[in-house]
Amino acid sequence: MKTIIFMGDSRECIREFPETARQSIGRQLLRIQHGLDPQDWKPIKTVGAGVREVRIHTGGEFRAFYVTHIGNALYVLHAFQKKTQETRPKDIALGRQRFKQIGE
């Protein structure tokens, strides 16, 4: 099972999600820890190679950028509520910055 490492304030951001979204993302992160894909995800190449986005559709739209191909860890780079169709450039930039911090 992979160890979860929350980058920056990603854990605090998840804690601020509504309860249903928080529980849902927790279940998806557990799946990833066990080597499974989350139920809804997509690659986020603009953040970095191998970075994926967990997509939660409960009580709004919530996202978490993560990467798993570095060591035996699941790095949660950034978590946020998505309010528009397109991901905000500041969310992409923050994910990219944190991805660089882990050495990729």
Side-chain angles (χ1 to χ4, degrees):
M1 183 161 86
K2 292 186 178 282
T3 302
I4 295 183
I5 299 172
F6 292 92
M7 301 294 293
D9 67 348
S10 59
R11 178 180 289 186
E12 289 76 23
C13 291
I14 291 171
R15 286 180 176 159
E16 291 176 7
F17 289 177
E19 185 175 351
T20 56
R22 195 171 56 245
Q23 289 174 349
S24 184
I25 204 159
R27 284 190 295 274
Q28 299 311 308
L29 293 175
L30 185 61
R31 287 178 58 87
I32 298 165
Q33 274 188 286
H34 287 283
L36 302 171
D37 284 332
Q39 292 172 324
D40 189 2
W41 66 274
K42 73 175 192 173
I44 303 294
K45 295 175 184 171
T46 56
V47 173
V51 176
R52 293 179 169 188
E53 173 184 73
V54 175
R55 300 159 42 132
I56 304 298
H57 315 281
T58 179
E61 296 295 316
F62 299 89
R63 304 289 188 264
F65 296 154
Y66 73 94
V67 66
T68 60
H69 68 275
I70 303 165
N72 191 34
L74 159 59
Y75 290 90
V76 179
L77 303 174
H78 181 42
F80 57 98
Q81 182 173 9
K82 191 168 180 183
K83 296 183 179 185
T84 63
Q85 186 77 12
E86 195 168 311
T87 303
R88 295 179 306 178
K90 90 175 205 181
D91 291 318
I92 297 288
L94 185 55
R96 189 177 298 134
Q97 175 190 352
R98 290 178 179 169
F99 183 62
K100 287 179 182 178
Q101 288 175 351
I102 56 176
E104 286 298 304

